[in-house]
Amino acid sequence: MTEITISMLKQLRELTGVGMNTCKEALVASNGDIEEAVTYLRKKGLSSAAKKADRVTNEGMIGTAETSAAVALVEVNAETDFVVKNDRFQEFLRNVAEEAAQTSPASLDNFLSQKYSKDSGMTIDEYRATVIQAIGENIQIRRLQILPKSSDKSIGVYTHLGGKLVVTVELGGTNGEEGLAKEIAMHIAAASPDYVSADKIPSEILEHEKEIIRSQIP
């Protein structure tokens, strides 16, 4: 049996856009042959995803969902803003965010390869492929963030423009203050600060700003 290397996995992922675990499954099934692995993925219903994987996805939104145990943020991108506003895209965004909140995956690759709870016959990545087939554009789950809840912190989430901008604030040492955390998140979204506090500002940035102020003094 041919050894499946990291470079082979990366090559197949670049060609198809599917998750690393799914790439490994395809390479094992095809004994390390890249072309056969692509064919294998297409036979599993990932043909549209493979064909469109090289298309640039510069538009997108962040979906949020939460359970009693965690808050999940999932960024999903498409090729055009028109598709991002599509009902099918929005449904997919909600579903994957809810799935992430319920399962708290350790990584994006793990999330893509796990079974989709609403249809155990497919993985999350295969579900993504069905959306690509229905919409006709490349769809990518770009990033995933899980924020675990606990009894000594409060997490607030503020979503602006339907998910174009999402801010989360975590308050330590307190519980039940999600409303306050959300209000702070809303102010952060409006102000768009680069740093949380003065001591977080890099010295070179601070010195640069001081120099600008000094130059303005007559």
Side-chain angles (χ1 to χ4, degrees):
M1 179 179 174
T2 303
E3 180 184 359
I4 307 303
T5 64
I6 293 296
S7 62
M8 292 165 65
L9 289 168
K10 288 182 178 178
Q11 183 182 354
L12 184 58
R13 178 174 177 124
E14 289 174 359
L15 286 171
T16 63
V18 302
M20 293 290 273
N21 288 333
T22 305
C23 284
K24 183 176 181 180
E25 175 190 328
L27 285 167
V28 169
S30 60
N31 198 29
D33 187 293
I34 297 293
E35 290 186 6
E36 288 188 15
V38 172
T39 300
Y40 172 88
L41 292 172
R42 289 181 174 181
K43 288 179 178 178
K44 289 199 69 175
L46 295 172
S47 57
S48 293
K51 291 176 182 177
K52 296 179 174 65
D54 59 345
R55 296 185 184 178
V56 178
T57 52
N58 286 331
E59 299 293 336
M61 286 189 175
I62 300 171
T64 64
E66 64 179 292
T67 65
S68 58
V71 173
L73 294 86
V74 181
E75 179 185 342
V76 180
N77 291 354
E79 297 173 42
T80 63
D81 189 55
F82 177 78
V83 161
V84 168
K85 296 175 182 176
N86 179 282
D87 288 343
R88 184 67 183 271
F89 180 94
Q90 292 289 324
E91 178 187 29
F92 176 69
L93 182 66
R94 288 193 301 272
N95 286 343
V96 293
E98 289 171 1
E99 197 80 7
Q102 291 165 6
T103 60
S104 294
S107 69
L108 177 57
D109 281 328
N110 286 348
F111 182 57
L112 292 173
S113 62
Q114 75 183 32
K115 293 296 184 181
Y116 179 39
S117 66
K118 294 182 179 179
D119 186 345
S120 59
M122 67 171 71
T123 63
I124 296 295
D125 207 32
E126 289 166 344
Y127 172 37
R128 177 183 69 89
T130 68
V131 178
I132 291 175
Q133 291 170 337
I135 292 178
E137 279 196 9
N138 187 13
I139 306 292
Q140 294 290 330
I141 301 177
R142 188 70 64 192
R143 289 184 292 175
L144 169 72
Q145 182 72 46
I146 304 297
L147 305 174
K149 293 182 178 180
S150 68
S151 59
D152 62 347
K153 64 183 177 183
S154 299
I155 300 174
V157 181
Y158 174 71
T159 299
H160 187 58
L161 296 175
K164 284 289 188 178
L165 172 66
V166 174
V167 178
T168 62
V169 169
E170 180 180 305
L171 301 178
T174 183
N175 186 260
E177 295 295 341
E178 288 76 17
L180 174 60
K182 183 176 180 179
E183 286 187 19
I184 295 173
M186 182 175 64
H187 286 291
I188 291 173
S192 189
D194 292 323
Y195 307 99
V196 176
S197 59
D199 62 304
K200 300 295 183 181
I201 304 175
S203 58
E204 61 272 18
I205 298 294
L206 191 59
E207 185 57 37
H208 177 69
E209 293 301 319
K210 287 180 178 179
E211 180 60 32
I212 291 175
I213 294 173
R214 282 194 290 265
S215 69
Q216 295 173 346
I217 299 174

